[in-house]
Amino acid sequence: MQDAWAAPAGLREEQMRTHFAEILARESACLAGVTDGAKLAGWRRRVVEELMTPRSPYALALRRTGDVPERADFLGRWRGLIEEAVDRLLQADATLCTTRSATQATSNGNDVDPHKTAVLILAALHGGSTLSQIAQDPRPLNAALDIALAPLGATEDVNSGDTTTERVNQ
């Protein structure tokens, strides 16, 4: 029996470039629309679904195949798109925080670094999807994303499947 998560035989660098381009185009459009916690939750659900589909471009692109510099460029560009969305969410939250006390705003994490948060989200996507693919269970991926998205107040309730976005929507 063939493993559905195994890299397809003969997956060429040209195919990987096609997957990279497709993902970056989709992520550019989707992440540009992330302006609040609900849209972040929608993005998360879509990406988890993609990563849990064995032959999706997302699942294939995060495998350790292909040219290292091209993979590094792809991951760097995806991280940049995530960073822009994180920064947009934090800016929106900072605007909302002007109506709250300074102590409350600080305790809500307005000192979050968009670059580091984007790296953490990408690492959660990569590592979490690897563990989820092995277990054939989305819970490791969701747990990793819970930690990565915690600074934005967006976590997945694995019992109900609902996503809560407390801080981003306040």
Side-chain angles (χ1 to χ4, degrees), residues 140-153:
L141 175 55
N142 279 315
L145 285 171
D146 280 348
I147 300 300
L149 295 172
L152 302 173

Side-chain angles (χ1 to χ4, degrees), residues 105-161:
T106 302
S107 68
N108 282 335
N110 283 338
D111 57 348
V112 174
D113 181 316
H115 178 80
K116 288 180 181 179
T117 302
V119 169
L120 183 57
I121 292 167
L122 194 56
L125 289 170
H126 192 275
S129 68
T130 299
L131 294 172
S132 284
Q133 290 165 3
I134 291 167
Q136 297 183 350
D137 180 350
R139 286 181 290 189
L141 175 55
N142 279 315
L145 285 171
D146 280 348
I147 300 300
L149 295 172
L152 302 173
T155 59
E156 184 79 11
D157 179 347
V158 294
N159 295 323
S160 70

Side-chain angles (χ1 to χ4, degrees), residues 27-101:
E27 290 299 295
S28 180
C30 291
L31 285 166
V34 173
T35 55
D36 60 29
K39 291 177 182 165
L40 177 63
W43 171 82
R44 174 194 175 135
R45 281 190 296 276
R46 183 189 57 77
V47 172
V48 168
E49 184 176 319
E50 286 283 351
L51 288 170
M52 291 306 300
T53 303
R55 302 283 187 216
S56 82
Y58 285 74
L60 294 172
L62 290 184
R63 295 208 175 101
R64 296 184 74 162
T65 59
D67 182 70
V68 172
E70 284 185 39
R71 286 177 49 75
D73 179 62
F74 160 69
L75 293 172
R77 291 172 63 195
W78 193 5
R79 187 225 16 97
L81 295 170
I82 295 168
E83 182 176 341
E84 290 172 6
V86 168
D87 189 50
R88 199 170 33 258
L89 289 170
L90 293 172
Q91 293 301 321
D93 189 48
T95 302
L96 291 174
C97 286
T98 59
T99 62
R100 293 183 280 185
S101 71

